[in-house]
């Protein structure tokens, strides 16, 4: 069955460092992959979309990579700030055309 | 949250009672979705709608029904709530429903079934 895995353990880093979050998937061949941010008590908010023919996508301090051979996406936040603390979700287009989400990884940036 | 209002924001109910959650959008988007979010499972699609009176099942639709009589409103009904339906429910919208389109989410409804 289709499966998306994100590290369930929280990622704790120091302010100013680069945070790297991982999204792995199996039994998929998605054409697109999306990343969302979710703050406590709020709904997810879209951040970035990357297509299968794009190796890398950037938006300000955010960078996403998409390796279809490894079946993995990496999400990077450079020069991290305490305000970046949140849960980050990856989502893939399933075989039915609808988005399927990973469990999310919580990032904690300490000042 | 992109013109999406969910109501109520919090609800506590008893097992066996019917519950209806409402999602209202002001974006005139064609697609509307109901997800539930649980620890260890992430967001899972319950039902979605691709137009007025046009709905389809998601991956966890058992025990839920939906209705969409107007473009702006999408209702999720638990006919007879069970404790396993205690969760946070999110409504989302999109214009086209295509896989490369982002979703806009509401703020969620925290439902507790005792």
């Amino acid at each position: 069955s289709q499966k998306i895995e994100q590290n369930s353990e929280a990622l704790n880093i120091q302010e100013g460092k680069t945070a790297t979050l991982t999204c792995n998937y199996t039994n998929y061949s998605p054409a697109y992959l999306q990343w969302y941010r979710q703050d406590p008590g709020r709904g997810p908010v879209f951040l970035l979309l990357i297509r299968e023919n794009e190796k890398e996508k950037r938006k300000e301090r955010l960078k996403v990579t998409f390796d279809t051979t490894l079946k993995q996406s990496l999400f990077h936040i450079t020069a991290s700030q305490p305000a970046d603390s949140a849960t980050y979700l990856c989502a893939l287009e399933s075989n039915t055309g609808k988005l399927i989400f990973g469990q999310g990884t919580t990032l904690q940036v300490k000042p | 949250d992109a013109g999406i209002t969910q109501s109520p924001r919090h609800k506590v109910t008893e097992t066996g009672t019917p519950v209806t959650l409402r999602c209202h959008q002001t974006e005139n988007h064609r697609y509307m979705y109901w997800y539930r979010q649980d620890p260890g499972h992430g967001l899972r699609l319950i039902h979605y709608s691709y137009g007025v009176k046009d709905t389809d099942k998601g991956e966890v639709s058992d025990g839920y029904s939906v209705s969409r009589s107007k473009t702006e409103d999408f209702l999720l009904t638990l006919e007879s709530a069970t404790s396993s339906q205690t969760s946070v429910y999110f409504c989302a919208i999109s214009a086209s429903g295509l896989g490369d389109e982002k979703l806009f989410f509401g703020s969620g409804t925290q439902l507790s079934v005792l």
Side-chain angles (χ1 to χ4, degrees), chain A residues 3-8 22-25 28 33-36 38 44 87-93 99-105, chain B residues 35-44 59:
Chain A
K3 194 174 180 181
I4 304 172
E5 289 185 352
Q6 293 186 258
N7 193 342
S8 59
T22 304
C23 176
N24 295 301
Y25 59 94
Y28 271 111
L33 187 147
Q34 301 186 24
W35 282 89
Y36 289 76
Q38 186 174 21
T87 296
Y88 293 86
L89 309 171
C90 69
L92 301 173
E93 181 188 26
L99 279 183
I100 295 181
F101 287 80
Q103 297 177 32
T105 298
Chain B
Y35 285 87
R36 61 178 288 176
Q37 187 172 39
D38 305 286
H41 290 280
L43 281 162
R44 291 180 292 174
E59 59 181 311

Side-chain angles (χ1 to χ4, degrees), chain A residues 34 36 38 43 46 49 51 103, chain B residues 37 40 99-103:
Chain A
Q34 301 186 24
Y36 289 76
Q38 186 174 21
F46 172 81
L49 178 146
R51 303 172 192 275
Q103 297 177 32
Chain B
Q37 187 172 39
D100 62 345
E101 188 180 11
K102 60 186 175 183
L103 299 185

Side-chain angles (χ1 to χ4, degrees), chain B residues 37-98:
Chain B
Q37 187 172 39
D38 305 286
H41 290 280
L43 281 162
R44 291 180 292 174
L45 182 64
I46 305 171
H47 282 281
Y48 67 97
S49 170
Y50 48 96
V52 173
K53 298 186 179 178
D54 292 322
T55 65
D56 205 349
K57 297 178 180 180
E59 59 181 311
V60 289
S61 59
D62 287 348
Y64 302 94
S65 63
V66 290
S67 65
R68 191 166 177 201
S69 58
K70 297 185 291 185
T71 298
E72 57 266 34
D73 291 325
F74 192 32
L75 303 180
L76 177 70
T77 298
L78 291 66
E79 300 292 346
S80 178
T82 67
S83 58
S84 65
Q85 294 176 311
T86 292
S87 185
V88 181
Y89 291 85
F90 287 100
C91 174
I93 64 173
S94 68
S96 71
L98 296 177

Side-chain angles (χ1 to χ4, degrees), chain B residues 24-38:
Chain B
H24 178 79
Q25 60 143 331
T26 58
E27 307 296 321
N28 200 35
H29 279 2
R30 179 182 173 192
Y31 281 74
M32 298 186 74
Y33 310 81
W34 278 107
Y35 285 87
R36 61 178 288 176
Q37 187 172 39
D38 305 286

Side-chain angles (χ1 to χ4, degrees), chain A:
Chain A
S1 62
Q2 300 168 332
K3 194 174 180 181
I4 304 172
E5 289 185 352
Q6 293 186 258
N7 193 342
S8 59
E9 292 184 12
L11 177 63
N12 296 294
I13 65 168
Q14 206 66 34
E15 182 177 9
K17 300 294 186 182
T18 296
T20 298
L21 287 67
T22 304
C23 176
N24 295 301
Y25 59 94
T26 57
N27 300 323
Y28 271 111
S29 294
Y32 317 98
L33 187 147
Q34 301 186 24
W35 282 89
Y36 289 76
R37 168 182 172 144
Q38 186 174 21
D39 292 288
R42 306 298 300 272
V45 175
F46 172 81
L47 295 175
L48 281 168
L49 178 146
I50 187 166
R51 303 172 192 275
E52 61 178 342
N53 61 350
E54 297 175 316
K55 297 300 181 186
E56 182 180 297
K57 197 94 173 264
R58 292 176 184 262
K59 178 183 176 182
E60 298 173 351
R61 294 184 296 110
L62 308 180
K63 185 179 82 172
V64 173
T65 63
F66 192 8
D67 189 324
T68 56
T69 300
L70 293 178
K71 294 187 179 297
Q72 180 181 81
S73 174
L74 298 179
F75 178 81
H76 307 272
I77 305 176
T78 59
S80 60
Q81 305 166 1
D84 295 325
S85 298
T87 296
Y88 293 86
L89 309 171
C90 69
L92 301 173
E93 181 188 26
S94 71
N95 294 341
T96 62
K98 297 296 168 275
L99 279 183
I100 295 181
F101 287 80
Q103 297 177 32
T105 298
T106 297
L107 172 67
Q108 187 71 34
V109 181
K110 299 188 182 301

